[in-house]
Structures are given as structure tokens and as C-alpha cells.
Amino acid sequence: DLAIINYTSGTTSSPKGVMLTARNLSSNIEFGLRNIPVTNDDKIMSMLPLAHMYGMAFEFLYPLSGGAHVYFLGKTPTPTVLMQALADIKPYILITVPLVMEKIFKNKVMPTLNKPMMRILTSIPGVSNLIYGKVRATLLNTFGGNLRSIVLGGAAISLPVEKVMRKIRLPYTVGYGMTECAPLIGYSPWESFRLGSCGRAVDNVVVRIDSEDPENKVGEIQVHGDNVMQGYFKNPEATAATFTEDGYLRTGDLGIIDRN
């Protein structure tokens, strides 16, 4: 049954009311509970708007269903505000957009690592591991000391920042989704996440690339499964244009899927 009409931001065209069912929501929550374990001792900080499906599903519905305590950040997440809140709440997971992480790295991490002496030291095998390990420990402690995972979504992350995150072995991953899928399409745990990707197709949808060679030739990403919306509210023309003849959602995004 129809549960929510969630309006898109209008970044691709005029805003549309996305008709999401109870199954769309529960499918995402079930995926979260299966793949990102949560207990009633865990805490999470919500900084995304609840009108945003990413925030609603994964900063509210999923952790609440797992028994976690949800804290709402009532201020703009500037680095200073964010760091203080993380230190106070000590969340088990940080769910945010890449821009927030990029600000933290550009303001706090990169200036230190870019110092001439640091550049020399991080070029020495063995010594670099010690330095990156120290940066990782300091950063995770700054984030409250309880983080098991950092999940980024909503946009691609800056490659220079991501390379530094990888060097210090920060437990981050980048997912992919859209309001029309309530929202998940791609996710991988940080241990198996590949640099520059947005994870693997989640197990409750089928993802295909509209291309003659999906591993090498870019094509539209198309999705079918339990996460996919009913259609657009009072907009049959947009709904018809968004689905293929065999029932796949046209995401309007381009990509490839490699053998991993």
C-alpha cells in the first residue's frame, strides 16, 4: 500500500511526488538490519532532513527498528558543530554526504599531511604506516571513538580526499540511490568497498546497464525490485516515461558494473 509521497528536489527536472509503498520502506530497512548490524546500545546522529529519503530511511527508520537511540542535530553541520556533536553522542555509524567529509579533511587532515616534513615521512615505507595509523586513530577518536562505519551518499566524493581516506584506512563506503528507490540501489561494507565506486547492487533489487557491454561501455543504470516506487503522484506521463516496457526504472544515471 502507498505509505509516503516524497517530493524530489527537482535537480533533474520539475519536482515530482514519488509514491513509495510500505514494502519499499521495509525492504530498505531489512537490508540495513541484515547488512549493518545495530543494537539497542547503539547511538546515531541524524543530520539529514527527514524529508530526504536517505535521512528518513537510514538515520531514522532503520536504526530505530534495530533499537538504536536517534539524536537529531538541530544546527547546520559545520565542522565545529559536527565534531562537538560526534564527541558528545559517540555514534556507531556516521551517515552523511561527501561534502561534510571533504570539509573535515580539507580543514583538519590535509593541512597536516601536506606539511613538507610530513610529505617526506609519509614517503618512507613503514614510517608512513605509523603516521597514517596515528591519523586514523585520532580521527576516529574525534568522531566519538565508537564508529564502526562511515556511509557517504548523495554525490561522488572528491578523488584526492578519497585517496587519503583509503591511505589511512578510514572505515568508509560510498553508496548510491535515489528517492524513487526509497533510496538504496548500491552499497558495500567498507571492508570490501572499491575505490571510486558506489558499492554493489543491493540484494533486494536487480540492476542492469542499458549497454551492449555493461563492464566496459557506459549505459543507463536501470533498476527492478522491492525498492522501486509505484510511480509519480498524479503524473502518469512522467511515470510511463520512467519505466521500460519490461518494468525497469530508468534512473537517468550512467554507469558500468564490473565483474566485482
Side-chain angles (χ1 to χ4, degrees), residues 180-198:
E180 287 84 345
C181 289
L184 269 194
I185 298 172
Y187 169 85
S188 289
W190 71 269
E191 295 91 342
S192 60
F193 177 72
R194 291 294 186 96
L195 180 75
S197 78
C198 55

Side-chain angles (χ1 to χ4, degrees), residues 58-210:
F58 286 94
E59 288 187 340
F60 181 52
L61 296 178
Y62 139 73
L64 195 67
S65 297
H69 191 107
V70 181
Y71 292 80
F72 292 99
L73 187 68
K75 300 177 181 178
T76 302
T78 62
T80 302
V81 168
L82 185 58
M83 290 303 194
Q84 185 60 56
L86 290 168
D88 293 342
I89 296 166
K90 298 177 171 50
Y92 77 101
I93 190 171
L94 175 60
I95 296 174
T96 187
V97 293
L99 183 62
V100 171
M101 194 57 58
E102 287 168 7
K103 281 184 178 179
I104 291 169
F105 266 74
K106 286 174 181 175
N107 292 340
K108 306 284 186 182
V109 180
M110 308 288 244
T112 300
L113 292 178
N114 285 333
K115 289 179 180 178
M117 182 54 71
M118 275 296 193
R119 284 176 176 272
I120 293 169
L121 292 173
T122 52
S123 68
I124 303 170
V127 176
S128 63
N129 290 340
L130 290 173
I131 291 172
Y132 289 137
K134 179 65 175 175
V135 172
R136 180 183 192 272
T138 302
L139 204 51
L140 290 178
N141 188 57
T142 304
F143 288 158
N146 287 333
L147 273 191
R148 302 196 290 271
S149 180
I150 298 168
V151 183
L152 306 173
I157 190 165
S158 154
L159 193 57
V161 170
E162 188 176 0
K163 285 180 177 177
V164 175
M165 291 169 69
R166 179 57 59 96
K167 282 179 180 177
I168 67 175
R169 294 193 69 252
L170 201 67
Y172 82 97
T173 184
V174 181
Y176 164 61
M178 60 194 302
T179 305
E180 287 84 345
C181 289
L184 269 194
I185 298 172
Y187 169 85
S188 289
W190 71 269
E191 295 91 342
S192 60
F193 177 72
R194 291 294 186 96
L195 180 75
S197 78
C198 55
R200 294 186 176 91
V202 297
D203 57 18
N204 37 10
V205 299
V206 175
V207 177
R208 72 184 183 190
I209 303 295
D210 185 21

Side-chain angles (χ1 to χ4, degrees), residues 237-249:
E237 297 83 7
T239 299
T242 302
F243 285 93
T244 64
E245 288 186 5
D246 58 348
Y248 275 74
L249 173 75

Side-chain angles (χ1 to χ4, degrees), residues 3-8 18 20 25 44-64 70-74 95 179 182-183:
I4 291 175
I5 299 173
N6 190 287
Y7 275 80
T8 62
V18 178
L20 297 171
L25 300 176
I44 184 172
M45 180 182 67
S46 174
M47 71 177 88
L48 298 170
L50 290 187
H52 193 299
M53 274 313 305
Y54 186 29
M56 182 189 292
F58 286 94
E59 288 187 340
F60 181 52
L61 296 178
Y62 139 73
L64 195 67
V70 181
Y71 292 80
F72 292 99
L73 187 68
I95 296 174
T179 305

